[in-house]
Amino acid sequence: MKALGVGLIGTGYMGKCHALAWNGVRQIFGDVPAPQLVALAESNAEMAASRASAFGFRKSTGNWRDLLADPEVDVISVTTPNAFHPEMAIAALQAGKHVWCEKPMAPALGDAEAMLAAARSTGKIAILGYNYIQNPAIAQIRRLIEDGTIGTVNHVRVEMDEDFMADPEALFYWKSEASSGYGALDDFAVHPLSLLWHLFGHVQEVIADLGKPYADRPTKAGERREVENHDIASVLLKLEGNVSAVLMANRSAWGRKGRIALQIFGSKGSILYDQERMNEFELYTTTGPEATRGFARVLTAPIHPPYDRFIPAPGHGLGFNDLKIIECHQLHQAIAGKPFTAVTFEDGLRIERSVHAMAQSYREKRWVVV
C-alpha cells in the first residue's frame, strides 16, 4: 500500500483529532506507510496557514475546493459543522478522493442518501467518525456477547449525557439551530446508536419523546434567540434479534462530561460499561456459587487488542484521541481492501434513518418502523 496523501477540511476540535490520528497511525501500528499530510483547508487563508504549521501539513488554503483538484490528495477528512458535510463529502468523492467524515452524515435525510449514492457510484471508501466503537473494551464486550458468556441478550439500556448545554444562560450557537439537525438525536445520540449497531445490529422500530429544557438562549448582541431543536431524547427501540432497548440522551445534564452508559442484560449474566470510565467494564455471570456471585471489574490491558499497540502494561488506559488513531488505521485497512471495523456510509445511513424515524415518532406520537 502506498502512503496516503491527506487533505483536512476544518481544524476545530475534531479537525485536531483527525490531525493527531494521521500523525500517529504509522507510529502506533507500524504496518501502514506514514501518511503524507498534503493540504489543510480553513475558512480563511490566515487561519489555514497557522493551523497547517501547527498540525504538520505542507500546504494550506482558505478554499476547501482547492483540495479536490490537488493530485497529491488521496483522502479527505471532513471535520466541519454538520450542515457542511454533504456538499464537501460528495464533492470529495466525485473528485476521486476517499472520505473520512465526522458524524452525523447530514441534518437532512435526503442529503445523507446522496452521500451514500456518491460513495457507491465512485467506488471510493467512505467512513464516518464513530470512534467509540474502536475501544478495546467494546471489542471485548462484543466477544463476550458473541461467545454466549451472558447467554441470550434480551434487553439493553444506553444513556448518553453531557453538560455542555446545561447552563440556561450559555450563548446561543449553531448546535441550537434547526439547520444543524434535531439536536440531541443526531448531534449526540448517534454515538450510542453506533454502539448498538456494532454490538447488536440495526434498529428496527422506535417510539420517541423529545425535550427542550430552555426555550431560548442569549446572543452576543444581548438579545434572546429561540432554541430551535431539542436537547433531550428518550426512546424505546426494538433491535435486530428481538432485543428490546432504551436510549436516553441529554446535552444539558449538569455533572456529566462524556457519559455513554451501557447496561446489557442476558439470560446468563450482565455487562455494564460507562464511557467516562472507558478503560474498564463490569461483568456478572451466573456461574459459580450463588453466595459469592457479583460484578467483576475488568480493566483493559495488552490482552485486549489493539491496546497493546499503545501501552505494554495493563490498567494505564487509552484516551479519546487513541480511539481516533485506531479508526484511522481501520480506514487504511478499508482502502487496502482488508477486513475493517468502521461505520461506512452504508451503515451510517441506517443510523440516520433511525434518527429520522425517532423524530417522526415524536411528531406523530406512535411507533415507527425504520
Side-chain angles (χ1 to χ4, degrees):
M1 179 180 182
K2 78 176 187 69
L4 293 174
V6 178
L8 172 65
I9 306 176
T11 62
Y13 171 36
M14 293 312 303
K16 188 172 186 178
C17 290
H18 277 238
L20 289 168
W22 286 116
N23 275 290
V25 66
R26 165 67 179 179
Q27 290 88 335
I28 294 298
F29 285 93
D31 61 352
V32 297
Q36 301 302 300
L37 306 190
V38 176
L40 175 153
E42 249 300 344
S43 56
N44 64 73
E46 183 179 359
M47 181 185 294
S50 173
R51 297 293 169 82
S53 175
F55 293 176
F57 283 78
R58 296 201 313 267
K59 297 182 284 188
S60 64
T61 176
N63 183 351
W64 64 270
R65 290 189 176 275
D66 290 342
L67 275 58
L68 307 180
D70 193 325
E72 294 185 273
V73 173
D74 302 304
V75 55
I76 293 179
S77 283
V78 178
T79 70
T80 54
N82 306 345
F84 299 105
H85 292 177
E87 181 184 11
M88 292 175 173
I90 291 170
L93 289 164
Q94 291 176 342
K97 317 297 186 184
H98 303 293
V99 169
W100 183 12
C101 181
E102 270 309 306
K103 63 81 202 166
M105 290 179 79
L109 183 59
D111 286 339
E113 291 171 340
M115 292 168 72
L116 174 58
R120 285 174 170 171
S121 66
T122 61
K124 293 298 177 179
I125 298 298
I127 71 166
L128 294 157
Y130 287 107
N131 51 296
Y132 292 130
I133 70 169
Q134 305 298 344
N135 191 338
I138 296 297
Q140 180 60 36
I141 289 170
R142 182 175 176 174
R143 285 190 287 270
L144 291 170
I145 293 168
E146 290 175 344
D147 69 16
T149 297
I150 63 168
T152 301
V153 173
N154 49 56
H155 183 66
V156 183
R157 297 178 197 166
V158 59
E159 304 169 37
M160 184 167 186
D161 303 305
E162 293 187 14
D163 64 2
F164 66 96
M165 301 185 80
D167 185 351
E169 295 306 306
L171 289 177
F172 186 101
Y173 77 121
W174 65 266
K175 286 202 174 188
S176 290
E177 293 177 348
S179 61
S180 74
Y182 299 118
L185 280 179
D186 45 356
D187 173 52
F188 203 62
V190 289
H191 272 307
L193 283 171
S194 73
L195 288 171
L196 292 178
W197 161 77
H198 184 62
L199 296 173
F200 305 105
H202 283 294
V203 175
Q204 304 294 298
E205 197 171 353
V206 299
I207 187 167
D209 183 56
L210 305 181
K212 186 185 295 186
Y214 311 123
D216 55 34
R217 290 187 177 276
T219 66
K220 289 181 179 179
E223 301 171 341
R224 308 289 299 190
R225 180 170 172 182
E226 179 187 357
V227 172
E228 298 171 353
N229 52 30
H230 296 82
D231 292 330
I232 298 171
S234 303
V235 190
L236 300 180
L237 313 93
K238 296 176 183 177
L239 307 178
E240 291 180 21
N242 199 35
V243 177
S244 75
V246 176
L247 166 64
M248 292 182 285
N250 188 350
R251 303 192 298 186
S252 57
W254 276 119
R256 295 300 189 188
K257 305 303 179 184
R259 184 172 189 258
I260 305 178
L262 267 173
Q263 296 186 79
I264 304 167
F265 302 104
S267 58
K268 297 194 296 182
S270 302
I271 298 171
L272 309 181
Y273 168 81
D274 189 336
Q275 179 65 30
E276 287 185 342
R277 304 176 67 92
M278 62 173 282
N279 288 281
E280 64 182 64
F281 64 91
E282 294 183 78
L283 173 65
Y284 180 97
T285 64
T286 56
T287 58
E290 186 174 357
T292 55
R293 289 178 194 166
F295 279 96
R297 183 169 66 112
V298 180
L299 284 175
T300 50
I303 199 172
H304 304 115
Y307 178 105
D308 57 312
R309 297 284 188 163
F310 294 85
I311 303 171
H316 286 59
L318 304 187
F320 180 90
N321 287 323
D322 296 324
L323 303 189
K324 216 66 188 171
I325 294 174
I326 300 171
E327 187 172 68
C328 187
H329 184 254
Q330 293 301 311
L331 174 59
H332 277 82
Q333 297 291 96
I335 292 172
K338 299 177 181 179
F340 67 97
T341 300
V343 179
T344 64
F345 277 19
E346 194 89 34
D347 286 309
L349 182 59
R350 293 285 299 272
I351 293 173
E352 299 289 323
R353 285 176 175 157
S354 299
V355 166
H356 287 277
M358 292 171 193
Q360 179 185 351
S361 169
Y362 171 68
R363 292 192 303 269
E364 300 177 1
K365 310 301 180 188
R366 66 178 181 87
W367 282 91
V368 172
V369 175
V370 178

